[in-house]
Amino acid sequence: MECPAKTPGGEEGTPVIWRQAPKSITNPTWTDYPAVSGPTCLYDPEPENVLANIAARILTDFRQLPVNPGNLEAQPFPHTLKGGPTNFYATTGEQGFDVTILGQTVHLTATPANYTYAFGDGTTLGPTPAAGYSIPEAEWLNNETRTSHTYTDTGNYQATLTTSFTGTYSVNNGPPLPINGTLDITTPAKTIHVWKTEKALVADTCQENPNSWGCPGTAIQ
């Protein structure tokens, strides 16, 4: 395999074959290491040094990636009711990035692992692996999911979601390696308006009497 220089007059690369052996093998020999990928090219006078240097800085590079934190969704929204479960859920997913580090092509993957919900009233949920999910409108305020929250007072609350991403990286199409650390991103606050309900007996419907108690546009006494 040839590894031509990337720039005129530059150094040629070194062909590298990636191999790995199971941890269960004590003091493995070369034949115990099956090939994972390769051969690929490393552009450094000492390939083992560039890999160690990338490993030493990979968490810092990982935390600088433009990872999309997704959104915090609520059902119902923007208005919900005091005493009824409001369903919250996260919308984000795995994301990949190709960058150049120390002259090498590095692919990084960010995967959401845990979520922390802050509901704005002083209570939180998490860290939890539960991303939550959307439910049908007929189940709003009735179905309590793992990520639901019940507000006990009326008011306007600023809810946020912090997602903790784990990561892997691979150098020049090598095997994916774990990143020792996480990237934590918090979404912009979402305002939740919590209302209360009142019940009353009325003589007719809003179609029959638009000015009846509780009809749209009618002040409640």
Side-chain angles (χ1 to χ4, degrees), residues 10 29 39 55 68 91 96 98 113 135 205:
T29 63
N68 184 351
T91 60
D98 292 309
I135 60 178
T205 67

Side-chain angles (χ1 to χ4, degrees), residues 92-104:
T92 188
E94 184 176 284
Q95 300 164 57
F97 303 87
D98 292 309
V99 299
T100 299
I101 302 177
L102 301 179
Q104 312 303 317

Side-chain angles (χ1 to χ4, degrees), residues 128-179:
T128 171
Y133 51 87
S134 174
I135 60 178
E137 184 173 354
E139 298 181 20
W140 295 359
L141 299 171
N142 295 307
N143 181 11
E144 185 170 1
T145 68
R146 289 178 60 189
T147 53
S148 289
H149 177 65
T150 299
Y151 291 94
T152 58
D153 292 299
T154 59
N156 300 324
Y157 299 95
Q158 302 298 310
T160 60
L161 171 71
T162 300
T163 302
S164 181
F165 292 85
T166 58
T168 62
Y169 71 102
S170 62
V171 181
N172 296 333
N173 297 317
L177 304 172
I179 296 175

Side-chain angles (χ1 to χ4, degrees), residues 15-202:
V16 174
I17 296 177
W18 300 88
R19 292 175 174 265
Q20 65 180 11
K23 291 184 178 180
S24 58
I25 300 179
T26 304
N27 298 322
T29 63
W30 179 250
T31 56
D32 293 324
Y33 287 84
V36 177
S37 66
T40 58
C41 295
L42 285 181
Y43 289 86
D44 189 84
E46 299 181 61
E48 68 278 7
N49 290 345
V50 70
L51 293 178
N53 292 338
I54 290 175
R57 57 172 284 179
I58 195 63
L59 179 59
T60 298
D61 289 86
F62 177 60
R63 288 176 171 169
Q64 294 175 351
L65 293 175
V67 174
N68 184 351
N71 297 309
L72 173 63
E73 303 293 344
Q75 295 174 307
F77 178 82
H79 307 108
T80 189
L81 294 180
K82 169 185 172 181
T86 301
N87 180 46
F88 289 89
Y89 63 96
T91 60
T92 188
E94 184 176 284
Q95 300 164 57
F97 303 87
D98 292 309
V99 299
T100 299
I101 302 177
L102 301 179
Q104 312 303 317
T105 300
V106 180
H107 180 77
L108 297 104
T109 300
T111 304
N114 287 295
Y115 307 88
T116 300
Y117 301 82
F119 302 112
D121 60 352
T123 60
T124 60
L125 171 66
T128 171
Y133 51 87
S134 174
I135 60 178
E137 184 173 354
E139 298 181 20
W140 295 359
L141 299 171
N142 295 307
N143 181 11
E144 185 170 1
T145 68
R146 289 178 60 189
T147 53
S148 289
H149 177 65
T150 299
Y151 291 94
T152 58
D153 292 299
T154 59
N156 300 324
Y157 299 95
Q158 302 298 310
T160 60
L161 171 71
T162 300
T163 302
S164 181
F165 292 85
T166 58
T168 62
Y169 71 102
S170 62
V171 181
N172 296 333
N173 297 317
L177 304 172
I179 296 175
N180 186 23
T182 61
L183 168 62
D184 300 329
I185 308 179
T186 300
T187 62
K190 174 165 286 189
T191 303
I192 308 296
H193 305 279
V194 180
W195 293 359
K196 66 179 180 179
T197 58
E198 293 185 11
K199 297 181 180 180
L201 294 175
V202 295

